[in-house]
C-alpha cells in the first residue's frame, strides 16, 4: 500500500491508504441483535449499520467474499476462509496474496478464488459466480453505487464512516459480527492488544518519544498525520506524534501531506520513522541535503522500515499482519530510540 496508492484513493473517495482517527479499540460496529436470539446460542440475525445505511444478515454466512483490506485476515483469523478474496497489488506474491495471508492459507484445506483487484469497480460478475452469502468490505473504497450493486448479489457490509478509514480493531469486530463470531472477534482484538502491549513493555526506551513518519518517494516527501493507520499503530506502541507533524500540515482532512524539501528542517521529532522499499532507497534518502536537515536524521534517530512487506504489515495492521511483522517493526524503532539523548 504505497503512499501513491493511498493518496490517489484519498482523492477519489475523499480515500488511500487513508485514515481518520484510527486509534483505538472499536465500538460495536453498529450491529444489533435481539436479546432472545443472543441467549439462544447459535447464529443470531444481525443488522450492521454503515456509511450507506444498514445491512441485515439473517442467517449464518457459509460463503463469504472479502473486498478491500483487512477483512480477509479477520475472517481467516476467526476460522472462516472466504470463498473469494480480492487480490492485492502491493507486497504480494504471484497470486496476489499478502505473505501472512498466504502462510495462513497453507494450513487450510480450502482454496479461495482470487478475485481481480477492484481498481475502479468491484468484479461484479466474478463475485456473483461465487454465489456468496455475504460480502465484507468494512475497510474499502466502494462507493454508494457500488454498494448498491454488490447488495443485489448478497448482503454487503461497507465501512462505518469514510472509505479506507476503519480502525483495524473495528475491521475485526465488524467481520466477527457479520459471521456470527462477535465474542470470538472481541477475544481476538484483546489478544492482539496484549501482544502489542507486551512488545511496548519490552521496549521502555520508546515510551513517550515523539515521532514523525515519512516516505520520500517519486520526488515527493510525504508526512503521515496521526489520522493515518501506520501512525496510529506507532502511538499504540507508546510513541507520541510530534507537534511539528500537525503544525506543518497544509490543512484538510487527509491522512498524509506533502512537505516541501525546503521545510524539512522544521520537522522536529525524537524519532523519524522512514518507510522505504529497499536499502538503496533508504540510503538515497539519507544522503540528500533535505534529509540531513531533519533533526532526527542529524541525531541518527531514524527507524528505517524497509521492504514492502513489512511496510504493508503495519499500513494498516490487520488480524494476521500484526503478529507477522511486529518484532521486526519494534526492533527498528527501538534502535532509533536508543540514539535519542
Amino acid at each position: 500500500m504505497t503512499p501513491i496508492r493511498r493518496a490517489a484513493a484519498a482523492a477519489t473517495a475523499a480515500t488511500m491508504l487513508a485514515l481518520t482517527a484510527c486509534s483505538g479499540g472499536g465500538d460495536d460496529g453498529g450491529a444489533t441483535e435481539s436479546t432472545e436470539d443472543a441467549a439462544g446460542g447459535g447464529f443470531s440475525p444481525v443488522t450492521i449499520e454503515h456509511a450507506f445505511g444498514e445491512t441485515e444478515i439473517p442467517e449464518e454466512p457459509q460463503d463469504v467474499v472479502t473486498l478491500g483490506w483487512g477483512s480477509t485476515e479477520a475472517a481467516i483469523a476467526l476460522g472462516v476462509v472466504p470463498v473469494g478474496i480480492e487480490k492485492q497489488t502491493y507486497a504480494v506474491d504471484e497470486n496476489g496474496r499478502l505473505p501472512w495471508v498466504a502462510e495462513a492459507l497453507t494450513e487450510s484445506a480450502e482454496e479461495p478464488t482470487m478475485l481481480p483487484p477492484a481498481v475502479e469497480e468491484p468484479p461484479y460478475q466474478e463475485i456473483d459466480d461465487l454465489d456468496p452469502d455475504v460480502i465484507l468490505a468494512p475497510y474499502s473504497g466502494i462507493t454508494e453505487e457500488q454498494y448498491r450493486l454488490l447488495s443485489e448479489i448478497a448482503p454487503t457490509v461497507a465501512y462505518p464512516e469514510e472509505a479506507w478509514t476503519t480502525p483495524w480493531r473495528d475491521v475485526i469486530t465488524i467481520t466477527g459480527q457479520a459471521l456470527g463470531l462477535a465474542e470470538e472477534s472481541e477475544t481476538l482484538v484483546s489478544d492482539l492488544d496484549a501482544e502489542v502491549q507486551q512488545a511496548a513493555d519490552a521496549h521502555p526506551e520508546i515510551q513517550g518519544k515523539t515521532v514523525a513518519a515519512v516516505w520520500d518517494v517519486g520526488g515527493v516527501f510525504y508526512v503521515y498525520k496521526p489520522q493515518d493507520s501506520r501512525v496510529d499503530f506507532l502511538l499504540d506502541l507508546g510513541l507520541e506524534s510530534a507537534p511539528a507533524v500537525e503544525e506543518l500540515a497544509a490543512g484538510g482532512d487527509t491522512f498524509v501531506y506533502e512537505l516541501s524539501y525546503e521545510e524539512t528542517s522544521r520537522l522536529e521529532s525524537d524519532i523519524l520513522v522512514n518507510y522505504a522499499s529497499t536499502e538503496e532507497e533508504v540510503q538515497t534518502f539519507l544522503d540528500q541535503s533535505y534529509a540531513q536537515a531533519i533533526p532526527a536524521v542529524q541525531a541518527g534517530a531514524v527507524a528505517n522500515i524497509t521492504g514492502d512487506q513489512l511496510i504493508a504489515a503495519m499500513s494498516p495492521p490487520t488480524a494476521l499482519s500484526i503478529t507477522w511483522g511486529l518484532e521486526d517493526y519494534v526492533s527498528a524503532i527501538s534502535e532509533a530510540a536508543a540514539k535519542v539523548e
Side-chain angles (χ1 to χ4, degrees):
M1 213 182 274
T2 67
I4 294 172
R5 177 184 172 189
R6 299 184 61 160
T12 58
T15 354
M16 194 161 204
L17 263 185
L19 305 203
T20 62
C22 296
S23 51
D27 53 24
D28 64 0
T32 60
E33 63 181 2
S34 73
T35 303
E36 181 178 349
D37 285 338
F43 184 84
S44 300
V46 63
T47 299
I48 299 178
E49 298 176 1
H50 48 74
F52 305 131
E54 59 182 35
T55 296
E56 181 180 358
I57 304 172
E59 298 179 349
E60 182 177 5
Q62 301 298 318
D63 297 317
V64 178
V65 164
T66 54
L67 300 177
W69 196 274
S71 56
T72 296
E73 290 94 321
I76 293 173
L78 291 169
V80 177
V81 176
V83 296
I85 294 173
E86 181 184 349
K87 287 184 179 180
Q88 301 297 326
T89 58
Y90 176 67
V92 296
D93 63 15
E94 65 277 7
N95 297 314
R97 296 174 178 176
L98 291 156
W100 43 89
V101 172
E103 289 174 11
L105 290 176
T106 60
E107 303 173 4
S108 170
E110 302 174 68
E111 184 67 22
T113 296
M114 299 305 297
L115 299 165
V119 178
E120 294 183 359
E121 295 278 341
Y124 300 111
Q125 187 58 60
E126 289 88 343
I127 294 172
D128 190 37
D129 290 344
L130 294 174
D131 193 24
D133 301 311
V134 68
I135 300 169
L136 299 178
Y139 186 96
S140 71
I142 63 172
T143 66
E144 186 166 9
E145 174 64 13
Q146 291 167 355
Y147 163 76
R148 184 186 66 78
L149 294 173
L150 289 168
S151 296
E152 293 178 6
I153 299 173
T156 299
V157 179
Y159 37 84
E161 296 180 3
E162 298 290 338
W164 303 115
T165 66
T166 311
W168 66 266
R169 296 173 179 85
D170 291 349
V171 172
I172 294 173
T173 55
I174 292 169
T175 299
Q177 290 153 6
L179 299 177
L181 298 170
E183 288 189 13
E184 290 86 346
S185 69
E186 291 171 1
T187 298
L188 176 58
V189 168
S190 179
D191 289 346
L192 290 169
D193 274 332
E195 188 173 345
V196 173
Q197 188 60 54
Q198 183 177 12
D201 291 344
H203 292 278
E205 67 279 3
I206 72 177
Q207 304 306 307
K209 299 292 192 302
T210 60
V211 65
V214 304
W215 196 339
D216 185 42
V217 62
V220 180
F221 188 68
Y222 292 95
V223 180
Y224 295 93
K225 296 166 68 174
Q227 293 89 337
D228 180 72
S229 63
R230 71 190 76 197
V231 178
D232 183 65
F233 193 72
L234 293 170
L235 305 187
D236 282 343
L237 290 169
L239 293 156
E240 297 179 4
S241 179
V245 170
E246 292 284 14
E247 292 169 1
L248 294 172
D253 296 328
T254 58
F255 60 90
V256 63
Y257 62 91
E258 300 175 15
L259 183 66
S260 166
Y261 288 137
E262 288 74 26
E263 292 192 282
T264 56
S265 62
R266 298 174 58 197
L267 188 60
E268 295 185 9
S269 63
D270 293 328
I271 297 170
L272 186 78
V273 173
N274 172 47
Y275 300 97
S277 293
T278 64
E279 293 290 349
E280 181 181 7
E281 189 178 301
V282 168
Q283 197 56 53
T284 297
F285 166 67
L286 294 177
D287 287 343
Q288 303 305 312
S289 58
Y290 57 80
Q292 292 296 322
I294 300 172
V297 175
Q298 295 174 5
V302 181
N304 292 304
I305 307 302
T306 309
D308 292 343
Q309 293 183 345
L310 184 57
I311 294 169
M314 303 302 170
S315 308
T318 69
L320 297 178
S321 70
I322 288 175
T323 298
W324 187 91
L326 185 60
E327 182 176 353
D328 289 342
Y329 200 73
V330 175
S331 293
I333 297 166
S334 174
E335 290 176 9
K339 304 291 182 62
V340 178
E341 295 183 358

